[in-house]
Amino acid sequence: MSAEKPLRGWKVLVPRGGPWGHGVAAELRLRGANPVVAPSINFAGTADEPALDLALGRLQAGDYDWMSVTSATTVDVLSAHRVLIPERTKVAAVGETTAAALGAAGYRVDFVPRRDNSAAGLLAEWGDASDGVVPLRILALRSDIAKPVLTDGLRAAGHDVDSVVAYRTVGVPIAPETIAQVASGQFDAILITSGSVANQISMQIGLVPSRTVIACIGPRTAVDAEAAGLRVDLVARERSSESLIDTLEELALHRPMQGPLP
């Protein structure tokens, strides 16, 4: 193992595709790892397109004081609908990754939580973001499986919140040969980036060999992974792909590569 590239030779499963998954794979290659992108989830249109169209129409008409965006996939939905966000409507992003996706799509970001990149973290700092103004009219775009932490918290604080499903999360079959390679201990690590990914890994792969590091992108994802029946070996310090890879790299510095199971 190279001291300069502690992940050299590590075979890492990236169970998420799209720009995010391939971007992570590219960074892993730069660090010396051998990533395998095997999407376990994908995103489909909402089952209630009229409700989404109505909400996006009201957004563009300036009906909302704020909009909350909790995933890069929501940004894809905004772009696909060619939404123009009025100047009067402020945008809150759940974390740096989502904020970066908004910026790349040409949208401004008015607030990102400083301490905890999660819906709970955004809720905790909402008063700072909004200068304590109550009530505000807020559009909360979400996935069909998202927990209503932000919406419930904002409503409890006295805000008028429209919670609208922007997309659905669906499972994608992982290739049988990849599943067999995981089972035989040929992977050094699996990256878990959400509860939905954790559920698919648990359902499709089942028991992961102890030699394979299960690395979670943050504490919330770690809790979801354990609830799905997965062992959690590593949790990134910050909820970002960069921190996840950095933390895995630090582990690799102190853990020699192990061969596959006999």
Side-chain angles (χ1 to χ4, degrees):
M1 179 178 65
S2 167
E4 295 181 358
K5 291 190 174 182
L7 289 177
R8 184 178 298 282
W10 276 55
K11 189 171 183 177
V12 180
L13 182 65
V14 182
R16 182 171 165 186
W20 191 95
H22 290 286
V24 167
E27 180 60 27
L28 285 166
R29 289 189 194 96
L30 288 175
R31 309 276 188 112
N34 175 26
V36 175
V37 177
S40 61
I41 60 171
N42 204 346
F43 305 101
T46 175
D48 192 351
E49 194 68 34
L52 177 62
D53 288 341
L54 177 61
L56 295 181
R58 297 179 69 179
L59 170 66
Q60 295 188 98
D63 287 358
Y64 296 104
D65 300 301
W66 279 85
M67 176 179 66
S68 64
V69 182
T70 55
S71 74
T73 305
T74 300
V75 181
D76 294 337
V77 173
L78 292 170
S79 295
H81 285 77
R82 302 189 179 187
V83 171
L84 298 176
I85 302 173
E87 287 294 326
R88 75 168 304 274
T89 303
K90 294 185 177 180
V91 180
V94 74
E96 297 297 340
T97 301
T98 303
L102 282 162
Y107 296 112
R108 73 181 186 283
V109 179
D110 297 288
F111 187 76
V112 181
R114 295 178 294 275
R115 293 179 289 275
D116 178 8
N117 285 182
S118 69
L122 181 55
L123 178 62
E125 297 186 39
W126 189 269
D128 294 337
S130 60
D131 295 323
V133 176
V134 178
L136 292 169
R137 185 137 181 85
I138 302 166
L139 174 61
L141 295 175
R142 61 181 180 84
S143 78
D144 61 322
I145 61 172
K147 297 178 177 66
V149 173
L150 182 60
T151 296
D152 288 353
L154 290 173
R155 285 175 177 164
H159 297 293
D160 185 3
V161 184
D162 285 345
S163 178
V164 178
V165 173
Y167 62 92
R168 292 176 294 126
T169 303
V170 295
V172 175
I174 299 172
E177 57 267 30
T178 301
I179 293 175
Q181 288 172 4
V182 172
S184 63
Q186 294 183 44
F187 279 90
D188 298 284
I190 299 175
L191 306 186
I192 305 295
T193 57
S194 68
S196 51
V197 168
N199 286 333
Q200 290 300 318
I201 294 298
S202 179
M203 287 190 296
Q204 296 194 49
I205 295 178
L207 184 64
V208 176
S210 60
R211 73 165 304 281
T212 303
V213 176
I214 299 180
C216 294
I217 201 167
R220 177 70 257 174
T221 300
V223 170
D224 291 341
E226 290 178 339
L230 295 179
R231 181 191 74 252
V232 174
D233 301 304
L234 179 151
V235 181
R237 288 184 299 277
E238 299 176 8
R239 197 177 184 277
S240 70
S241 58
E242 293 82 4
S243 180
L244 181 59
I245 296 172
D246 287 345
T247 308
L248 185 63
E249 198 171 51
E250 290 170 12
L251 175 68
L253 278 170
H254 306 289
R255 172 175 169 161
M257 282 184 57
Q258 304 176 59
L261 297 174

